[in-house]
Amino acid sequence: MPRAFEDFHVGDVFELGSQKITHEEIVRFAQAYDPQPRHLDHEDLIASGWHVTATFMRLYTEGVLLHAEAEVSPGVDELRWLRPVRPGDVLTGRVTVVGLAASLSRPDCGILQQRGEFLDDRDRPVMRIMIYGLMRRRQAAGS
């Protein structure tokens, strides 16, 4: 049964799993979306921050959103790329619930605030993001 808004609590931590970033993925993403030289053909190749964020979003979707009564997101805050991601890096994601609030525009939903992090294989943060999402309330989800 998918999690409703009432099933989330401040302090809940969701481990999202890991993803290895390859040279080929870095270049392919950059060619399509962020064709800066540092992401395409550079001696010290690094992944686009947008590539890192998209990879995090994939893990977050699979680890949390697909198992919840998720609606839409009113936005994100404080997206930070803290250190370069290079070919071969293994990134591990997690999100922590840091806030819960009633939705003023959608009484059938609550707003879930989560702090997301991506860590490299030496447990150093490479990305942080604050995510806001509308989650259906149990009564509304069962209606």
Side-chain angles (χ1 to χ4, degrees):
M1 179 160 105
R3 287 176 167 259
F5 176 73
E6 295 85 356
D7 298 322
F8 292 90
H9 304 94
V10 171
D12 287 352
V13 176
F14 298 89
E15 300 295 338
L16 305 178
S18 299
Q19 178 72 41
K20 183 175 184 175
I21 305 299
T22 68
H23 183 279
E24 295 76 20
E25 289 171 338
I26 291 172
V27 172
R28 190 171 42 249
F29 185 94
Q31 288 170 336
Y33 303 108
D34 192 0
Q36 296 180 59
R38 289 297 305 267
H39 310 317
L40 289 169
D41 184 22
H42 196 275
E43 206 171 276
D44 187 25
L45 186 73
I46 61 172
S48 163
W50 297 112
H51 177 187
V52 172
T53 304
T55 303
F56 178 87
M57 189 64 199
R58 174 65 185 250
L59 293 177
Y60 175 60
T61 298
E62 292 173 349
V64 177
L65 296 181
L66 293 179
H67 309 285
E69 295 287 350
E71 284 286 318
V72 297
S73 173
V76 300
D77 278 333
E78 303 173 21
L79 173 59
R80 300 285 186 261
W81 299 306
L82 303 168
R83 97 179 350 95
V85 173
R86 294 185 166 80
D89 283 354
V90 176
L91 304 181
T92 301
R94 73 171 159 244
V95 291
T96 303
V97 177
V98 296
L100 301 162
S103 171
L104 300 177
S105 62
R106 296 272 311 265
D108 61 326
C109 292
I111 298 174
L112 182 65
Q113 181 183 13
Q114 294 176 302
R115 182 182 59 249
E117 291 184 297
F118 238 171
L119 305 173
D120 67 15
D121 38 3
R122 290 190 279 182
D123 285 330
R124 299 176 304 176
V126 299
M127 187 201 87
R128 285 198 183 116
I129 187 170
M130 192 65 70
I131 305 166
Y132 298 89
L134 282 175
M135 294 285 171
R136 285 190 296 274
R137 293 182 180 275
R138 185 173 290 108
Q139 184 176 17
S143 302

